[in-house]
Amino acid sequence: MNPLDGHDVVAATRRRELERAAARHRVARGCRPARTGPSPLLRLYARLWWASRPRVGAWGAPPLPSRAAVP
């Protein structure tokens, strides 16, 4: 006897539930306007990140080696 024999009914029921959910999602997706590009919130975040990143000119000169490190 195969232990999975009793699970085919449960698996078929779950498959039908998932297929119905996918069909509802496709219908809902078809009603929404097509978007091009990232969301406005993501675009705002990217602009703020880009504007707040450190610039090379703000770093200053590299530190000079200390006398202890020079042989």
Side-chain angles (χ1 to χ4, degrees):
M1 174 171 209
N2 186 354
L4 298 178
D5 284 343
H7 296 286
D8 59 344
V9 174
V10 175
T13 305
R14 179 68 177 147
R15 179 185 172 120
R16 284 192 298 274
E17 288 175 6
L18 291 174
E19 286 173 348
R20 273 182 275 169
R24 285 192 305 269
H25 178 72
R26 281 190 295 272
V27 169
R29 181 81 175 145
C31 295
R32 284 186 274 171
R35 275 202 232 164
T36 57
S39 71
L41 185 62
L42 181 61
R43 290 172 58 122
L44 175 65
Y45 173 78
R47 285 184 182 205
L48 290 174
W49 175 84
W50 186 259
S52 66
R53 75 190 198 293
R55 305 299 195 281
V56 175
W59 292 352
L64 297 173
S66 66
R67 296 255 179 207
V70 178

